[in-house]
Amino acid sequence: MSMLPAAATSLSDYEHSAWRVGQGAPGDIWDIAQLADNRLLLATGAGLYRFDGRQFERVAPPNGGSFPSANMTSLAVDADGTIWIAYYNGSITRLDAHGARDFGIREGLRPGLIPRLQRDASGRLWAASDAGLRWFDGARWRAPTAAMGIGDVAAHWALRDHRGTLWLLAGGELWRLRARATRFERLGLAVSAFSSLALRGDGQLWLADRQRGIMPVADARGLLPATQREARRLPGLLAGRIQFAADGSLWGSFVANGGIFHVTDDDRGQRFDRFDAPQGLASTTAGPLLQDREGNLWVGTNLGLNRFREHQVHALVLPDPGDPLRSLYRAPDGEVFGHGVDLQPLALRRALRDATPAVQRDAARATLQPLWLGDWSAIVRIVDGQRQALSPPGFPVPHELRALLPLGRAEAWFCLGSDTLLQYRAGRWIRDPSLPRQACTALAAGRHGQRLIGYPDGTLRVGSGGRYRHYTGADGLDVGPVTATAYAGNRIWVAGENGLALLGHDGRFRTARAAGDGLFEGITGIVRDARGRYWFNGSRGLVRAEAADFERAVDAGRETAPRLFDTPDGMPGIATQASPVPSAVLAADGLLWLATNQGLAWLDTQKVRADAPPLVPRIGALSSAGTQQPLRDGLQLPPGTAQLQIDYQAVSLSRPERVRYQHRLVGLDDEWQDAGNLTRAFYTNLPPGAYRFEVRAANEDQVWSTALAQRSFRIAPLWYQTLWFGAACVLAMLALLGLAMRLRSRSLTLLVRARLKERHAERERIARELHDTLLQGTQGLILRLHAVSHSPQATPAVRAALEAAMQQAEQALGEARERVRLLRDGSTDYQDLGAALVQVYGERADELDSPALRLNIEGTPRPLRHDAAEEVFLIGREALLNALQHASAAAVDIELAYARRGLRLHIRDNGSGLPQQLPDDRWGLVGMRERAERLGARLRLWSRPQIGTEIALFLPGERIYRHHRRRWRWRRTTGETA
């Protein structure tokens, strides 16, 4: 940087934005600092301001106070967020979480300009003031002591480097305080008043002397030799402030007037750019400079604030705009050439970016690479410097060239007119008969010599040697008329007027989805670079996507959020839409060349700016029911709050319009809600309860916040939404339910009583009718048989038979009278089931060759329900009679068990068993089953020929016992089963 070129440019590689006083920006900006949330803090002659990239906000002191002065000159921001403000009159203010505290004469300060505040390696805060150097002891500002090696001298600048060394401009000299040292060192370098310092990226210290210019003065070893300082001095640059950017370039603001300057020194040599009010600077009087965390360079002036953002895409500027370059060609060795309608190529090498068109044209003529150049009206082939015009047969000028695919020195493919695809090889034009006569709009080379052919009907053919596969909408290809196709990253891509698609491993295309509208429309150039990134040049600009993540997202059908490069990034226009060659090609030297409707542009893929750091979202105010308040953790909202509005923001000083947000309200939302670029969330009909609002943001590079902004709050319930009210409602419902059950029970009881009364009357009626008819008739029949048996005509044998019949009839008559009596009054309750069954055995055993009877009773007999006991008796009676009358058994066993779970009855014999074919209407089995079903009992029967028969009946306790209590306990397996 020893000398500067005479000519100056206007920072064409940077996007400039200005916020002027008439547009809300403050004037007289003296210093700029950046807060932890990325906002800028401005010390101005009109007070303290914050700037979030969109609007300026004047900062008032907390608790309704006021600052000692509105004329602020310097700022310092501590790691904990504490802000220090210095004033033109020599006072200082500290702003922290506890409020504001002012320091003035009583705290050790003197009236005078304070241009700089800086901490040393030990954390001690120093104030460089023209009224005397001061340091802060926690309560007062003190002058340096004699032991510190420096007196109470006027100071104008202080700067701490990466090693912790504090550099000081005081008393017209350069001083140094090393880290962990207690004494300043005088370095013996004289400086002018109000000079400033800046650090280069390698740690070298530079001085901006208002009389001698800019020069390096020191490094890690100490003061540089005078010869080295002088050799690199820039005497023509008299700067008030200087700032080294992250790329090593130097920015500065001229003393008094003159705007700003920018000096670079790279592989293209030294370059000097100047920017002043005629080029758009807010004012010719510039002051402080700051590079923020996103790489933007900010310049404060006395009439507003300026931002410079380096273009990542650079337009190729030619001195003669008569025939702008519109088309690109990539040679087999990776060299890129550009040309216009004259088909005169220019070599687009990295080293020739700033060369004249004549030099670039001479370099193209000297190339040994084959060149295939074409546009709508002409086709040219250049081999070994020899230029040959090609004329496809049947296509006079213009040739209507729609697509061109070069394949080496002697072969190329051409889409011509409305229905022709021709191959040029070794001087011959060849038509592939396997391909239809159909217009094509895109050509590309695939793997293993395949050709990719795109058509205006939105279809694609892939193949070679007469064998092609035709992909259509049935294969998922739905991008509209094909504008580009490419084999990149071992995948086939197809772009159309309406979108972009990727061929999946299953042979089907999947359309790429983007968070922004139209990002993948009108793509005419597809490139994958050496770092694994895709570049798509389309109608919205240049789109970049990380290859691996992008392919996975497209394969899975997920929405993607690629990075868009457009006008603010330096794109001169949009991708050309009618060129026969791709609008994006990657040179072997790493430059990505782009053809736009405003000329050619390039981007260095080897030096693409790293992704911006993650944004820091913050939550602002909460609005509800017409009131607004800061949303702080633990905020209690009044009962009845149902509608909320929550403001939030993540500051991006580069592209605030491209910040994307997602938020969720824990307690309501299960998933993140995509809010786009909205900075406000709305909620309606929120029930009372505890909630936590969370928000995260993504910057223009789609890097999401690493930490969430979150606040918890609670909505108090109305009286009818409280827990006690709900409990009271539940108790009231239970009480109503209990009352309803009681009324229902009473109704059922009355109904049962009425039915029992009706049933009892019916039984009495049946009993009377049986007594008056069947029993009286049977009694008369017995008397008549008795008379016949005593007649003289009856022989002894007949008399004996009649006597036996009358005896059975009298026995049956007795049983019938007993049943009639039971029908009439139901007085028999069968409480002793064992005795009742033994009585049945006694009544029948006298007349038969009776088997032995064994009765076994287990447990303590319990009172039984009358109706259930009667049914059990009748089931047991039927089973016992079957054993006595049909089994021919030698023994009959009756087991009666009174268990806790219920009553179990077993009747078994050792007779002949039941026959294998047994009608259901025999042996009383139907009646036994019906009675068991009515009781809710379990009836089982086992029988084997010549072994016997067993009938088992089990009735649960709640159905048979008169007083049965269910015990709630874990079920366990017992022997009480049937």
Side-chain angles (χ1 to χ4, degrees), residues 18-100:
W19 292 264
R20 294 176 170 81
V21 170
Q23 300 169 338
D28 286 338
I29 300 175
W30 287 78
D31 200 8
I32 307 173
Q34 188 170 21
L35 300 172
D37 62 3
N38 288 348
R39 288 182 294 176
L40 294 183
L41 197 64
L42 308 177
T44 78
L48 186 66
Y49 283 81
R50 281 193 296 254
F51 181 58
D52 62 4
R54 294 177 181 268
Q55 59 185 4
F56 294 88
E57 174 192 5
R58 188 168 186 176
V59 181
N63 304 322
S66 61
F67 291 116
S69 170
N71 199 354
M72 303 174 178
T73 59
S74 182
L75 295 168
V77 180
D78 291 341
D80 63 356
T82 299
I83 299 173
W84 297 87
I85 308 169
Y87 300 89
Y88 188 84
N89 62 11
S91 57
I92 294 175
T93 296
R94 180 180 65 192
L95 282 176
D96 57 19
H98 305 290

Side-chain angles (χ1 to χ4, degrees), residues 465-742:
R467 302 180 62 182
Y468 291 88
R469 169 148 184 202
H470 192 202
Y471 293 94
T472 66
D475 302 295
L477 185 56
D478 184 20
V479 295
V482 175
T483 55
T485 182
Y487 182 76
N490 296 323
R491 307 292 296 273
I492 292 178
W493 294 89
V494 178
E497 293 181 1
N498 303 327
L500 175 70
L502 172 65
L503 182 61
H505 301 292
D506 59 355
R508 291 187 57 81
F509 278 93
R510 288 170 178 81
T511 302
R513 299 170 53 208
D517 294 335
L519 281 183
F520 297 132
E521 293 179 0
I523 291 174
T524 55
I526 302 172
V527 168
R528 176 172 169 148
D529 67 19
R531 298 190 179 185
R533 295 169 298 195
Y534 282 115
W535 301 87
F536 304 99
N537 193 20
S539 60
R540 283 284 305 277
L542 180 65
V543 176
R544 183 190 71 192
E546 296 297 327
D549 295 339
F550 187 64
E551 288 175 1
R552 281 194 294 268
V554 176
D555 285 334
R558 297 195 308 269
E559 187 177 84
T560 62
R563 168 74 157 87
L564 174 65
F565 297 82
D566 53 8
T567 302
D569 298 291
M571 282 289 288
I574 64 172
T576 55
Q577 297 294 305
S579 175
V581 292
S583 65
V585 294
L586 181 64
D589 58 13
L591 293 184
L592 176 67
W593 287 93
L594 308 167
T596 77
N597 59 2
Q598 300 300 314
L600 300 186
W602 59 271
L603 177 145
D604 192 346
T605 61
Q606 298 175 356
K607 295 183 179 180
V608 173
R609 178 178 59 83
D611 288 342
L615 300 179
V616 181
R618 58 187 179 90
I619 298 174
L622 181 147
S623 302
S624 176
T627 62
Q628 188 178 72
Q629 57 185 317
L631 179 52
R632 299 187 176 92
D633 264 335
L635 179 66
Q636 182 86 9
L637 297 177
T641 301
Q643 296 183 348
L644 294 178
Q645 173 187 304
I646 301 176
D647 296 331
Y648 52 84
Q649 185 185 24
V651 175
S652 171
L653 298 175
S654 296
R655 301 294 296 273
E657 71 279 5
R658 286 193 182 173
V659 177
R660 291 179 58 220
Y661 297 94
Q662 289 182 343
H663 58 71
R664 65 181 174 188
L665 187 61
V666 178
L668 177 68
D669 299 325
D670 295 328
E671 303 291 339
W672 286 99
Q673 308 298 311
D674 198 336
N677 58 5
L678 294 179
T679 59
R680 186 168 291 169
F682 300 92
Y683 296 96
T684 58
N685 301 322
L686 287 177
Y691 298 95
R692 185 175 73 252
F693 181 74
E694 299 176 345
V695 62
R696 62 183 182 182
N699 59 23
E700 62 174 332
D701 296 317
Q702 302 308 312
V703 177
W704 286 96
S705 308
T706 55
L708 306 178
Q710 53 186 0
R711 294 289 187 275
S712 298
F713 62 93
R714 185 178 186 85
I715 300 177
L718 295 167
W719 63 270
Y720 57 81
Q721 296 174 320
T722 57
L723 183 62
W724 64 263
F725 180 79
C729 290
V730 171
L731 292 176
M733 291 179 63
L734 291 175
L736 291 175
L737 182 61
L739 179 61
M741 292 178 64
R742 186 170 182 180

Side-chain angles (χ1 to χ4, degrees), residues 55 149 189 196 217 219 236 256 274 336 353 483 524 541 654 666 674 820 855 875 959:
Q55 59 185 4
L189 178 66
S196 61
V217 294
D219 58 15
R274 184 169 182 170
V336 175
R353 285 175 294 173
T483 55
T524 55
S654 296
V666 178
D674 198 336
V820 169
L855 176 64
I875 293 173
R959 297 183 180 276

Side-chain angles (χ1 to χ4, degrees), residues 301-324:
T301 72
N302 64 349
L303 290 178
L305 184 66
N306 301 263
R307 181 188 66 189
F308 291 89
R309 185 170 186 265
E310 185 178 10
H311 290 155
Q312 296 202 60
V313 181
H314 305 271
L316 181 64
V317 180
L318 298 176
D320 181 12
D323 182 17

Side-chain angles (χ1 to χ4, degrees), residues 937-957:
R938 191 165 60 241
L939 179 68
R940 296 182 180 178
L941 182 146
W942 297 272
S943 179
R944 294 186 63 182
Q946 307 307 319
I947 293 179
T949 303
E950 179 179 357
I951 291 180
L953 178 73
F954 177 77
L955 191 62

Side-chain angles (χ1 to χ4, degrees), residues 181-491:
T182 59
R183 187 178 180 85
F184 279 90
E185 302 174 52
R186 175 183 286 172
L187 299 180
L189 178 66
V191 297
S192 303
F194 296 105
S195 297
S196 61
L197 298 170
L199 277 174
R200 203 168 66 175
D202 59 0
Q204 194 174 67
L205 184 70
W206 283 64
L207 169 68
D209 192 291
R210 293 195 170 210
Q211 295 181 2
R212 299 174 58 206
I214 300 172
M215 71 191 80
V217 294
D219 58 15
R221 295 182 297 272
L223 191 68
L224 295 176
T227 55
Q228 186 175 349
R229 298 197 305 267
E230 186 63 26
R232 304 184 66 185
R233 183 167 66 93
L234 304 175
L237 292 180
L238 302 181
R241 302 282 182 91
I242 58 174
Q243 170 78 49
F244 279 96
D247 62 1
S249 62
L250 176 65
W251 295 78
S253 55
F254 285 103
V255 174
N257 299 330
I260 64 170
F261 60 85
H262 179 228
V263 183
T264 59
D265 196 356
D266 54 21
D267 57 353
R268 292 187 287 174
Q270 192 179 83
R271 181 175 176 179
F272 171 74
D273 293 307
R274 184 169 182 170
F275 200 87
D276 203 350
Q279 287 78 41
L281 198 68
S283 169
T284 189
T285 304
L289 303 103
L290 172 77
Q291 187 173 36
D292 65 26
R293 300 183 185 96
E294 299 174 69
N296 303 298
L297 197 287
W298 296 88
V299 180
T301 72
N302 64 349
L303 290 178
L305 184 66
N306 301 263
R307 181 188 66 189
F308 291 89
R309 185 170 186 265
E310 185 178 10
H311 290 155
Q312 296 202 60
V313 181
H314 305 271
L316 181 64
V317 180
L318 298 176
D320 181 12
D323 182 17
L325 305 184
R326 305 262 178 156
S327 299
L328 296 167
Y329 170 76
R330 186 181 189 273
D333 67 345
E335 187 173 2
V336 175
F337 300 85
H339 64 86
V341 295
D342 61 0
L343 303 185
Q344 296 295 328
L346 276 69
L348 304 178
R349 300 172 189 166
R350 180 184 291 269
L352 299 178
R353 285 175 294 173
D354 297 324
T356 63
V359 172
Q360 295 171 331
R361 189 173 292 112
D362 290 341
R365 291 194 186 104
T367 184
L368 298 178
Q369 296 295 312
L371 304 182
W372 297 82
L373 312 176
D375 68 358
W376 181 257
S377 61
I379 302 172
V380 170
R381 172 174 172 260
I382 303 175
V383 178
D384 298 330
Q386 299 299 316
R387 185 182 183 94
Q388 176 187 6
L390 301 180
S391 297
F395 285 91
V397 176
H399 300 314
E400 299 182 16
L401 178 64
R402 301 180 184 275
L404 165 62
L405 174 61
L407 294 173
R409 297 176 63 87
E411 183 181 2
W413 288 65
F414 301 86
C415 287
L416 300 163
S418 61
D419 61 358
T420 302
L421 174 61
L422 293 178
Q423 176 189 10
Y424 180 85
R425 186 170 60 191
R428 297 176 57 235
W429 293 93
I430 305 170
R431 187 191 303 273
D432 190 339
S434 64
L435 292 172
R437 296 187 65 89
Q438 181 181 359
C440 56
T441 52
L443 290 170
R447 61 177 180 176
H448 307 311
Q450 289 183 327
R451 307 288 174 263
L452 303 149
I453 308 170
Y455 295 92
D457 61 359
T459 63
L460 177 76
R461 281 184 170 86
V462 178
S464 63
R467 302 180 62 182
Y468 291 88
R469 169 148 184 202
H470 192 202
Y471 293 94
T472 66
D475 302 295
L477 185 56
D478 184 20
V479 295
V482 175
T483 55
T485 182
Y487 182 76
N490 296 323
R491 307 292 296 273

